[in-house]
Amino acid sequence: MTTPSRRRVLRRAAAVAGGGFFAAAGVGHAVARQARIDPDALSRLRGALAGRLVVPDDDGYAAARRVFYWNPRTETLPTAIVRCASEDDVARAVEFARRHDLEIAVRAGGHAHLGWGGSNGLVIDLAPLAWITVDPLRRVVHAGAGALGGAIARAAAAAGLVPVLGQCPGVGATGVILGGGLGWLAGSFGACCDSLLGARLVTADSRTVTVDGGRAPDLLWGLRGAGANFGVTTSFTARLHPLGRVLGGDIHYAVADARAVLRGFRALMESAPDSLQATLNLTPGPRGLFVSLCQSGDEAAAERTLHMLRTIARPTREAVRWQPYADLAEKAAATNPGDAPAPAWRAIETVYRDSIDDEIIGIIVDQLGRATPDTILGLSHFMHGAVCRVEPTATAFPHRRAHSVHLRLATTWSDPRHSDERFAQGEEWRRLLRPAADERIYANYQTYVAPAGAAAVFGDNHARLVALKTIHDPDNTFRRNANVAPARG
Ligand SMILES: Cc1cc2nc3c(=O)[nH]c(=O)nc-3n(C[C@H](O)[C@H](O)[C@H](O)COP(=O)(O)OP(=O)(O)OC[C@H]3O[C@@H](n4cnc5c(N)ncnc54)[C@H](O)[C@@H]3O)c2cc1C
């Protein structure tokens, strides 16, 4: 029987198949429609799995297909979702998808900006593989591919250590590491991928391989920044670091002070010690502007930071305190305030710039004045310190130029009639802020495709990545990602 909710799903399937959503989003990889798969084949797959197979008729399908940036341009209707409970499940899922010619989406935390954790083909959902083991003597963490950043920070804290992961607790650790990874501790300890020591990988031909510096150094290099391209990482090992308490939290300012705060934030970050990272968020509504910070090290450095933040404009509110790093790492990101009801739709645009000049500041102030009330504009991951002291070609993640910064505009809405307005706002913002030349894109923040394609994402590493991809995934089985196309034979 076709239930009303099932009918809605089918109607949406027709819309996705016929619409230009994906072309408009510049994604270009989503398949046109759900494939018809022999039900017996699906039953056999279901019976062989330790985890769960979710298909459109199952309870929970609507929730299982949803990713964080869910909107009319990213939503998909997977033919099947495999909730993997073991490495074998991953291998079976890859093998099944290839045999039935289904596009594969690999999902850990589901936070990719372009919804890469979804597909109309087969979704390999790694969330159940969320185990975490900390080795305090060797100062490493071993974790399953579904472990999230906040949970790893909490597990490491029990041993007095910290992981190098992103600034949002809900982001998948593998998702952030495999794309490079920039977080609160980038100035002190480098990019997330710089702490990656090894991984287990299910390849396009369903083999399982161990990747580390001794056994597969080329693949380890590729996993450190372009890692979604070479297979499904099922578990990983990463270095942990000792760190005392950090000064963390938010300092708020009035919207009217936007220009002064932007200039002051730039001055703060251009002279920042390695031990400081800060993010500036600008909202047109009652939340106003706020600088979120993480300062480790001695109290004198913290006092200098606080003094600067108190003089760039008059703070309207301060909520900073010394705390264990794990407390800060578990705080919901600014783009995902925990107190508000979840919106139906979310979208984001990001642009990477080499520096913040006065023209950029002027555009941001102007855009803030025009923004819809739910909009958050932001400046994140100001590049300095340890992350910039690693050679751009030492790992696949190349964007290590000091003083470069990531700009973003995030919006949420629930009324589908507002979709066009939200997308137009984001596109206008992007058009104004994209650099005219030498455009670069950070894989984890990719929201559009540059004319240079993957070369804009991987810079001087692109040619080496094409060679590696051609060896390990010549058919481009893993392409719902910052994709490196294999060479044509
Ligand atoms: C609220 C929010 C905050 C963020 N904060 C930061 C931040 O502080 N620093 C930062 O650098 N980035 C940040 N990001 C971006 C984030 O790092 C990327 O979107 C990242 O790729 C998300 O990983 P995920 O596992 O959650 O997402 P998913 O959508 O599940 O995966 C992202 C991509 O990685 C691939 N992938 C994931 N896991 C695997 C695996 N095990 N094997 C193979 N491929 C895999 C997926 O196929 C997909 O292409 C943030 C994003 C959001 C939404």
Side-chain angles (χ1 to χ4, degrees):
M1 197 183 91
T2 308
T3 63
S5 66
R6 169 89 180 124
R7 275 198 298 276
R8 271 199 302 278
V9 165
L10 291 173
R11 270 203 304 277
R12 176 55 70 186
V16 170
F21 291 143
F22 295 103
V27 181
H29 298 311
V31 292
R33 60 179 68 244
Q34 283 179 314
R36 284 185 212 291
I37 303 291
D38 173 9
D40 289 343
L42 281 170
S43 295
R44 281 194 297 279
L45 175 63
R46 193 188 296 270
L49 293 173
R52 193 167 156 234
L53 182 73
V54 185
V55 295
D57 278 332
D58 291 336
D59 285 347
Y61 175 78
R65 74 192 177 103
R66 208 179 152 96
V67 290
F68 187 82
Y69 283 112
W70 186 250
N71 65 52
R73 290 181 174 178
T74 61
E75 66 175 326
T76 55
L77 282 162
T79 299
I81 300 163
V82 179
R83 305 252 312 153
C84 298
S86 69
E87 197 169 71
D88 281 352
D89 282 0
V90 175
R92 285 200 176 93
V94 171
E95 199 272 315
F96 184 90
R98 294 214 58 176
R99 182 145 30 92
H100 294 278
D101 201 20
L102 294 171
E103 182 187 64
I104 290 176
V106 181
R107 183 194 305 168
H111 276 54
H113 292 358
L114 285 172
W116 287 329
S119 165
N120 292 346
L122 186 93
V123 174
I124 298 180
D125 184 353
L126 303 165
L129 293 171
W131 55 271
I132 301 168
T133 310
V134 170
D135 181 338
L137 290 180
R138 289 181 56 226
R139 290 185 176 167
V140 295
V141 58
H142 308 282
L148 303 182
I152 293 180
R154 181 57 63 200
L161 298 167
V162 298
V164 181
L165 293 171
Q167 295 176 356
C168 172
V171 166
T174 44
V176 72
I177 293 170
L178 296 174
L182 298 168
W184 291 123
L185 305 177
S188 301
F189 303 124
C192 305
C193 66
D194 298 334
S195 285
L196 179 69
L197 297 171
R200 297 263 298 170
L201 195 69
V202 170
T203 58
D205 51 4
S206 304
R207 281 180 308 115
T208 303
V209 295
T210 301
V211 177
D212 58 34
R215 275 171 279 198
D218 249 24
L219 262 179
L220 180 62
W221 175 86
L223 290 193
R224 289 174 164 162
N229 275 283
F230 304 108
V232 185
T233 291
T234 54
S235 65
F236 71 95
T237 305
R239 204 174 286 130
L240 298 173
H241 305 263
L243 189 78
R245 287 157 78 83
V246 300
L247 182 75
D250 304 327
I251 298 194
H252 295 251
Y253 305 90
V255 175
D257 287 332
R259 194 178 302 272
V261 172
L262 277 154
R263 286 188 173 147
F265 179 78
R266 174 177 63 188
L268 172 76
M269 294 313 296
E270 281 178 356
S271 62
D274 293 1
S275 54
L276 172 66
Q277 187 53 283
T279 290
L280 172 57
N281 294 292
L282 307 98
T283 77
R287 292 175 83 195
L289 322 179
F290 52 102
V291 173
S292 305
L293 68 120
C294 174
Q295 167 83 65
S296 55
D298 58 46
E299 295 206 5
E303 275 310 317
R304 273 196 302 277
T305 299
L306 283 178
H307 176 72
M308 272 192 92
L309 285 168
R310 284 173 182 148
T311 46
I312 60 177
R314 194 171 63 79
T316 52
R317 190 160 69 86
E318 287 187 17
V320 289
R321 64 180 174 89
W322 286 96
Q323 55 194 292
Y325 174 77
D327 286 8
L328 188 67
E330 279 186 334
K331 200 172 152 243
T335 42
N336 184 21
D339 44 355
W345 310 112
R346 283 190 175 97
I348 187 164
E349 289 282 355
T350 59
V351 163
Y352 179 94
R353 296 295 305 233
D354 281 345
S355 59
I356 315 165
D357 59 25
D358 284 345
E359 190 189 346
I360 292 176
I361 287 178
I363 293 170
I364 294 173
V365 172
D366 186 52
Q367 290 287 299
L368 182 66
R370 298 157 190 266
T372 54
D374 53 90
T375 301
I376 301 182
L377 301 164
L379 286 76
S380 303
H381 308 302
F382 193 96
M383 301 296 282
H384 71 294
V387 64
C388 301
R389 292 194 285 271
V390 175
E391 282 298 313
T393 53
T395 69
F397 169 64
H399 304 307
R400 297 174 182 273
R401 191 177 294 185
H403 295 185
S404 55
V405 68
H406 295 81
L407 310 179
R408 68 186 139 76
L409 175 148
T411 52
T412 59
W413 68 103
S414 289
D415 185 337
R417 287 170 302 183
H418 294 158
S419 297
D420 289 347
E421 178 200 22
R422 293 305 193 279
F423 290 131
Q425 178 183 238
E427 279 156 14
E428 170 73 353
W429 174 94
R430 183 213 296 172
R431 188 183 65 75
L432 292 167
L433 285 165
R434 273 174 83 166
D438 197 19
E439 185 166 38
R440 276 170 285 163
I441 291 178
Y442 167 36
N444 279 349
Y445 272 26
Q446 180 155 17
T447 57
Y448 66 96
V449 178
V457 183
F458 298 110
D460 290 345
N461 296 327
H462 184 236
R464 184 173 170 188
L465 285 167
V466 171
L468 206 57
K469 177 82 171 178
T470 309
I471 295 168
H472 294 283
D473 184 17
D475 299 326
N476 210 3
T477 300
F478 302 106
R479 58 183 181 274
R480 293 280 290 156
N481 48 42
N483 194 235
V484 177
R488 303 239 169 260

